[in-house]
Amino acid sequence: MSEPVGFTRRAVLGLAAGAFALGLAGPAAAEVDFAGKTIEWVIPFSAGGGSDTWARFNAPLLSKYLPGKPVVVVVNEPGGGSTKGTNLFAARAEPDGLMILGTSGSTQFPYLLGDPRVRYDYKDWKIAMAGPTGGVVYTTPALGLKGPEDIGQLKGKDLVYASQGATSLDLVPLLGFRLMGLNVQHVFGFKGRGDGRLAFERGEVNIDYQTSSAYLKNVQPLVEAGQAVPLFSWGVLNEAGEVVRDPTFPDLPSFVEAYETMTGAPPSGPDYDAYFAFFTAGFPAQKMVFLPKDTPDEIVAAYQKAFEDMKADPDYQASAEAVLGSYGQVTGALAQALFEKGTTLQPELRSRVAGMLASEYGVKLGEE
Amino acid sequence: MVDTLLQALTELLSLKHLAYMFLGLFVGLLIGILPALGGIAGLSLLIPFIYGMDQVSALAMLIGLLAIMPTGDTFSSILLGIPGGSSSQATVLDGFPLAKKGEAARALSTAFISSMFGGVFGALVLTGFVFIARPVILAFGSAELFMLALLGLSMVAVLSGRSLVKGVGACCIGLVIGSIGAAPATGEFRMVFDIEYLYDGIPLVVVGMGVFAIPEIVDLMRQNQSIAGDMPLGKGWGRGIRDWANNWFLSLRCSAVGCIVGVIPGLGGSVVDWIAYGHAVQTSKDTSNFGKGDIRGVIAPESANNAMTGGAMLPTILFGIPGSGAMAVFLGCMVLIGIEPGPSMVTTDLHLTYTMIWSLALANIFGALACVALARPISGLTKIPFQYMAPFLIVMISFAAFQSTRSIDDLIALLLLGCVGVLMKRFGWSRPALLIGYVLAPQAETFLYQAVQFNGWSFLARPGVIIIGLLTLASIFFGLRNRVDEHGHVVPVQDNAPDVPQFRAHLPQIGFAAVVVAVMGFALFDSLQHDFLGKIFPLSVAVVGLVIVSVLLWELWVGKPGHHSHFDAELTGEHVGKAGVHGMWSGLGWLAALVVLSTLVGFVLGVAVFFLAFMRLRVGATWFRSLHMTAWAVGGIVLAAWLLSLNFPSGLLQSLVHLPWPLR
């Protein structure tokens, strides 16, 4: 794109930022002030989905805690499995903090898988916040299991899972079940995890997972009524980057523990590395907020501070459980670590996953 | 239960909660009256306000908006012949002819009473049904859902018109359009030509507007008169009410149909109006007036679409599964105010469920009353010379079309589908059949694949499948007996229609059929490139389409003049031979101009230039008047875009120069 001939407030701010970078402006310019400004929060999904709800929950709080109390509007740019809006942000955003991007696992996956529609690169951005999420895998008592400790009994059983598609977020259970050696038939074409849960309740599938808040609200009653048996949570990452038990479900083993129970050894090898990369992109680093790479550090810091400050707000606390599912949004070094882990995949691992998807599920990941 | 019910009512009846409900009603009415903008746009407007609101007020406001949407939609369906929303397309079929006859007031009053009845009925059913809904919803597995999609497709029989092969052919076109994009089973992309826009399939709004609204506008633009012509507007209020009372049982049945379609998740409500309309025709003795202004054709869809809103709330609040785009946004709003859907909505949170039900009932009553009050002034639109309305309608429809993906490609798709719609209308191909095929294609394919995966072919022996299968057969049988199209009753088929007895005169319709054959051939070729699960559905559709349209082609070629397959409005339409009639391409030309301008200079500047040009060149208005109208149009869309916080699709100019919003 050619250098724009422009007269927007953005260009002016951009110039100011440039001047600052050259050391022409005094230290006073370090004060970030968005007073009177409008910040566009690009959400590459249509209104009503999980990412949209997440952004609309955060937007007014962000507005309240950013310096100068700017107006924050959520701009939905859906299409192409979230690649369209993200491409648009990559082409259009300027390093002035006035346009930010909210991504989800469905934005990370096409990038990691090399979807030809992707014209964005995570390495071009700085992270402002990461929103982890988690989930619990459960099965039906009809298979003879009483609790998570019986997971070994699943070996050799014919399992059926309601999937949203092999390249969707359901790639994580696909890779995970496969790693565990479970014999799972993935039936595609479901519209969301809620749809999958309905298929479980109808008895059409016998293994399923739900994100934490949906699990607590909808599956916990089934567990109590003896109609579902929890198996394991996907787990969360600690600061050292290891998978540990999900604090929301301290009594449930994590995926890694469940794997050990089944096979007797901790998971390792390239298949686990591939699983781990997609797991990180899909759960601990599912939701992320980005600014362009050249954005001055003060602006990024102002965003991080706002995301931290809002946690004490009563409005935040009122709906956080329903929207975020009991996982705090993180900033700083932890966010940076999640960002790097969730957006990096060795080329050989990528071809490994692509080859497996093509040979076992007939999924073609675009011409190359 | 009764306690909770009354407690929810008293809570809702406080001044504050009622005030919020009226706010929702007001916004809903505004959005509903504008053609093509629906629940998603309305809810998006309200989302910023629900922050920090108490749950009852927020629910009252949101439901106030959703409840009135299918009522307000009726205005543009009846008065302008442009579907006000995806679930009031069928209302056009008989409502618009009534408006043309000057009976707009009668049609509107009947429609509003039907809407009110349907809405209240939906709320009543919900009150008790909410307790038994879980097992009922769980009884519909993939197999049953597939059969329901077939039942929906069986409506093609009654709506296929004079030539059954044309109807089935139109449905095949719809099925092919509906299978563009990712295959449900394998994720393979079908018929996308490497165009990124097509990867997601063509959006419903674009298909609906292209096929139904554009041909109507194009037709009206050919004659420079108002919609109602010289006809007096008429009062007809009393008659409207009597019309409804005479058909209360039909209204009740259609409300039930609407409720059921709404309750069952995965079916989607976008064809509920056609199902209700088809049902009305199938069960009527005298069908001679359908399509020409039979009041029953208004009662049926309007009762059904309001009842559906109530039904659709059940899977949303009990399972968190939204049945439509608007319900998805509603679900998001619920989460934002801290309500999470689930089984607790009938236990600990029952008062919230009842708040929703009461809001629904009250909003439907007040909404219908508000519409009745507005009907008289708004019907005045049908007296305005159409050339003043046409550019506004073209801009509004384009604006609504690019709501779906916010890209210029939406406008291009709208233009292309508009051409298809215009030609289908000209040659007597059933457009409802196309729409039904388009909407149900992905559902039929997905559910069949899932049913076979889950149950094998033995799914065909499930009792639910057999029952729905028998209903489908009955629907086809009664449908074929009572076929209608926009020219009225067509059974028994007679080969004595007016026609021009020259082979050459038939060449255009033969040409169109030949193009359809070519499209089917291409769909067949494309399907062969895919894996078995990705190809089987489009392959079957294409083969059926090829056979059916080839039969049609043969009939058109050898049929005697007046054969029931022959139809060309340019040979036998009422306008033929009249003075002062513009060509059929003129309206499409103007739409094309807007699309081209938008690709060059972006939508806002494109609209400005388009409007000025239209006013000066086509209408011949003064500069002052032209500028005045242009200012209103541009101001209107900029205001709407600002409220919805959306960016317009940008054109070539914007890629060269950075412009401030809204021009960029």
Side-chain angles (χ1 to χ4, degrees):
Chain A
M1 220 173 86
S2 61
E3 189 56 32
V5 191
F7 26 75
T8 60
R9 51 182 188 226
R10 279 192 194 176
V12 175
L13 246 192
L15 271 178
F20 172 76
L22 289 171
L24 295 177
E31 293 282 314
V32 178
D33 186 11
F34 289 119
K37 298 281 196 293
T38 298
I39 289 169
E40 285 182 81
W41 189 346
V42 176
I43 290 296
F45 299 90
S46 49
S51 299
D52 179 64
T53 308
W54 164 73
R56 287 183 193 274
F57 165 74
N58 274 296
L61 292 161
L62 195 55
S63 163
K64 192 165 165 187
Y65 289 100
L66 275 175
K69 297 199 192 321
V71 179
V72 179
V73 293
V74 174
V75 181
N76 300 98
E77 296 280 359
S82 89
T83 57
K84 181 188 152 237
T86 313
N87 285 337
L88 193 126
F89 173 83
R92 207 184 258 179
E94 310 219 2
D96 53 10
L98 293 182
M99 192 190 264
I100 60 177
L101 172 74
T103 71
S104 175
S106 330
T107 323
Q108 274 91 262
F109 281 22
Y111 172 78
L112 293 175
L113 288 169
D115 188 306
R117 288 173 291 174
V118 169
R119 288 190 297 277
Y120 50 88
D121 190 340
Y122 280 88
K123 308 290 174 258
D124 290 341
W125 302 328
K126 278 183 183 165
I127 185 155
M129 180 266 268
T133 180
V136 174
V137 177
Y138 58 98
T139 184
T140 162
L143 295 173
L145 286 78
K146 298 269 181 298
E149 63 283 357
D150 298 338
I151 190 168
Q153 295 183 22
L154 285 182
K155 196 125 203 155
K157 292 257 167 51
D158 288 327
L159 301 173
V160 188
Y161 177 80
S163 169
Q164 300 168 74
T167 55
S168 74
L169 270 176
D170 283 337
L171 177 59
V172 176
L174 191 151
L175 294 172
F177 295 154
R178 193 172 171 276
L179 195 65
M180 288 180 146
L182 296 177
N183 176 25
V184 181
Q185 175 196 5
H186 292 264
V187 177
F188 301 111
F190 282 83
K191 299 276 179 319
R193 292 296 348 125
D195 224 8
R197 190 180 65 240
L198 204 59
F200 178 86
E201 291 193 47
R202 288 196 300 245
E204 291 180 328
V205 304
N206 51 18
I207 191 164
D208 186 48
Y209 99 84
Q210 294 292 316
T211 52
S212 302
S213 51
Y215 178 85
L216 289 172
K217 193 84 177 180
N218 290 290
V219 185
Q220 198 62 47
L222 295 179
V223 172
E224 281 154 19
Q227 293 166 357
V229 179
L231 290 175
F232 56 87
S233 75
W234 296 114
V236 296
L237 289 188
N238 66 10
E239 311 234 329
E242 296 155 344
V243 179
V244 293
R245 284 195 178 196
D246 188 326
T248 318
F249 306 98
D251 299 333
L252 288 181
S254 70
F255 171 80
V256 171
E257 291 172 74
Y259 180 91
E260 276 196 65
T261 312
M262 274 204 87
T263 62
S268 64
D271 278 335
Y272 178 66
D273 293 341
Y275 161 81
F276 185 79
F278 284 100
F279 156 71
T280 312
F283 291 96
Q286 186 185 70
K287 301 275 190 273
M288 290 189 275
V289 178
F290 290 108
L291 294 144
K293 189 167 60 182
D294 302 331
T295 310
D297 286 335
E298 305 79 56
I299 294 182
V300 181
Y303 271 97
Q304 300 210 352
K305 185 169 181 326
F307 278 117
E308 285 300 332
D309 290 349
M310 68 167 72
K311 288 181 186 169
D313 195 287
D315 277 345
Y316 178 93
Q317 288 163 355
S319 300
E321 180 80 26
V323 179
L324 308 173
S326 56
Y327 299 87
Q329 309 189 124
V330 298
T331 58
L334 187 52
Q336 182 65 27
L338 289 174
F339 167 41
E340 281 163 18
K341 282 211 162 58
T343 56
T344 316
L345 183 66
Q346 302 306 323
E348 59 273 18
L349 290 180
R350 191 197 95 72
S351 354
R352 195 177 175 88
V353 173
M356 186 275 293
L357 288 177
S359 64
E360 292 180 23
Y361 297 96
V363 174
K364 299 179 194 79
L365 295 169
E367 279 68 35
E368 296 181 38
Chain B
M1 171 191 156
V2 177
D3 287 353
T4 324
L5 195 64
L6 292 176
Q7 183 208 332
L9 179 64
T10 32
E11 203 177 348
L12 184 67
L13 285 180
S14 79
L15 191 63
K16 179 176 145 208
H17 298 151
L18 273 187
Y20 276 114
M21 191 183 85
F22 280 113
L23 178 67
L25 268 178
F26 177 72
V27 175
L29 197 57
L30 274 184
I31 300 272
I33 289 174
L34 295 174
L37 285 182
I40 299 181
L43 288 173
S44 310
L45 277 181
L46 291 184
I47 287 178
F49 300 104
I50 66 172
Y51 222 81
M53 261 166 85
D54 68 280
Q55 295 178 335
V56 174
S57 303
L59 284 177
M61 181 172 80
L62 297 173
I63 294 200
L65 177 128
L66 283 176
I68 191 148
M69 210 52 84
T71 313
D73 272 350
T74 313
F75 280 111
S76 74
S77 301
I78 289 181
L79 297 178
L80 308 174
I82 293 170
S86 58
S87 63
S88 52
Q89 280 157 345
T91 313
V92 175
L93 218 55
D94 280 290
F96 189 49
L98 283 168
K100 279 186 186 161
K101 286 196 241 169
E103 294 184 30
R106 173 191 171 203
L108 284 174
S109 60
T110 313
F112 296 144
I113 294 165
S114 306
S115 292
M116 181 164 86
F117 178 78
V120 174
F121 176 85
L124 276 180
V125 169
L126 271 188
T127 311
F129 192 63
V130 71
F131 294 101
I132 54 162
R134 260 187 98 80
V136 171
I137 292 176
L138 288 174
F140 284 89
S142 303
E144 287 78 16
L145 291 174
F146 166 67
M147 292 307 290
L148 284 172
L150 282 193
L151 180 59
L153 281 173
S154 76
M155 289 298 160
V156 168
V158 73
L159 294 166
S160 60
R162 213 153 68 104
S163 159
L164 190 61
V165 283
K166 264 188 203 172
V168 178
C171 180
C172 287
I173 302 178
L175 289 165
V176 166
I177 297 177
S179 60
I180 292 175
T186 60
E188 288 167 282
F189 292 107
R190 301 183 296 213
M191 290 178 277
V192 294
F193 310 102
D194 282 334
I195 301 170
E196 286 188 13
Y197 178 74
L198 294 178
Y199 277 59
D200 294 334
I202 300 177
L204 172 64
V205 182
V206 174
V207 176
M209 287 297 127
V211 174
F212 286 100
I214 301 286
E216 224 53 69
I217 297 178
V218 164
D219 252 16
L220 288 167
M221 278 175 72
R222 298 178 67 175
Q223 303 182 38
N224 287 333
Q225 50 171 315
S226 65
I227 289 169
D230 309 324
M231 297 287 184
L233 269 182
K235 295 217 172 59
W237 281 108
R239 183 147 177 227
I241 293 166
R242 279 201 305 283
D243 280 329
W244 177 82
N246 290 337
N247 292 290
W248 66 272
F249 188 52
L250 174 70
S251 181
L252 180 71
R253 290 194 319 261
C254 291
S255 302
V257 167
C259 240
I260 294 169
V261 170
V263 164
I264 297 165
L267 215 52
S270 17
V271 289
V272 67
D273 50 333
W274 291 114
I275 294 177
Y277 186 86
H279 171 76
V281 179
Q282 285 166 347
T283 54
S284 296
K285 281 211 184 67
D286 173 21
T287 54
S288 56
N289 256 327
F290 276 105
K292 293 190 246 176
D294 191 313
I295 200 71
R296 288 171 297 181
V298 173
I299 293 172
E302 286 305 312
S303 307
N305 60 16
N306 280 61
M308 189 199 71
T309 312
M313 243 162 234
L314 273 179
T316 312
I317 63 176
L318 289 183
F319 293 94
I321 302 173
S324 64
M327 275 297 149
V329 183
F330 177 68
L331 184 64
C333 293
M334 275 176 62
V335 174
L336 279 180
I337 51 177
I339 305 175
E340 223 189 315
S344 64
M345 293 303 286
V346 285
T347 53
T348 45
D349 295 333
L350 186 63
H351 69 287
L352 291 176
T353 305
Y354 279 145
T355 303
M356 292 190 213
I357 291 172
W358 280 118
S359 309
L360 193 65
L362 290 177
N364 264 296
I365 294 170
F366 288 123
L369 291 178
C371 286
V372 167
L374 285 171
R376 187 76 191 153
I378 294 183
S379 328
L381 283 178
T382 54
K383 290 308 237 181
I384 298 174
F386 192 72
Q387 49 184 352
Y388 283 102
M389 297 193 22
F392 281 103
L393 291 176
I394 291 178
V395 168
M396 267 195 258
I397 284 172
S398 309
F399 183 80
F402 78 68
Q403 293 296 305
S404 28
T405 76
R406 311 258 161 110
S407 106
I408 200 93
D409 300 321
D410 283 324
L411 296 184
I412 297 168
L414 178 74
L415 178 63
L416 291 176
L417 281 160
C419 293
V420 173
V422 166
L423 290 171
M424 285 179 75
K425 188 168 189 228
R426 170 174 170 181
F427 297 128
W429 291 59
S430 167
R431 291 172 289 153
L434 180 144
L435 190 92
I436 290 173
Y438 160 79
V439 171
L440 294 178
Q443 302 183 2
E445 182 180 10
T446 309
F447 292 137
L448 176 61
Y449 151 75
Q450 292 177 350
V452 173
Q453 291 281 313
F454 289 141
N455 312 95
W457 286 101
S458 66
F459 84 82
L460 290 169
R462 287 164 69 111
V465 170
I466 294 172
I467 294 170
I468 305 172
L470 292 175
L471 280 176
T472 308
L473 291 179
S475 160
I476 294 175
F477 173 76
F478 288 107
L480 290 180
R481 217 179 53 178
N482 286 358
R483 262 146 60 196
V484 291
D485 67 3
E486 50 202 302
H487 309 283
H489 177 71
V490 293
V491 178
V493 174
Q494 284 160 348
D495 288 335
N496 59 358
D499 199 356
V500 175
Q502 281 145 10
F503 181 73
R504 270 189 61 189
H506 293 151
L507 277 180
Q509 47 186 314
I510 293 174
F512 182 69
V515 171
V516 176
V517 169
V519 169
M520 291 298 155
F522 177 79
L524 181 67
F525 166 77
D526 182 86
S527 68
L528 293 175
Q529 321 293 312
H530 301 294
D531 283 345
F532 176 75
L533 284 175
K535 92 167 110 186
I536 183 69
F537 181 80
L539 181 80
S540 317
V541 168
V543 168
V544 171
L546 267 180
V547 171
I548 289 284
V549 188
S550 301
V551 170
L552 173 71
L553 205 53
W554 181 77
E555 285 181 354
L556 289 174
W557 193 276
V558 304
K560 292 194 176 65
H563 183 272
H564 63 269
S565 291
H566 285 155
F567 183 83
D568 186 344
E570 294 308 295
L571 298 178
T572 57
E574 282 167 21
H575 62 278
V576 174
K578 275 197 195 161
V581 175
H582 291 261
M584 64 176 279
W585 298 107
S586 145
L588 280 174
W590 281 104
L591 176 64
L594 176 61
V595 176
V596 171
L597 281 168
S598 301
T599 54
L600 291 178
V601 295
F603 190 68
V604 177
L605 290 174
V607 165
V609 176
F610 163 80
F611 236 86
L612 264 185
F614 193 95
M615 284 296 149
R616 293 289 302 158
L617 300 176
R618 173 72 191 259
V619 182
T622 59
W623 272 109
F624 175 74
R625 193 162 199 177
S626 305
L627 285 168
H628 184 202
M629 302 273 273
T630 306
W632 274 103
V634 173
I637 55 164
V638 169
L639 176 69
W642 179 74
L643 286 172
L644 291 167
S645 68
L646 64 87
N647 291 320
F648 291 103
S650 51
L652 199 59
L653 176 70
Q654 281 77 5
S655 66
L656 301 173
V657 186
H658 263 203
L659 295 170
W661 191 92
L663 299 179
R664 65 154 198 248

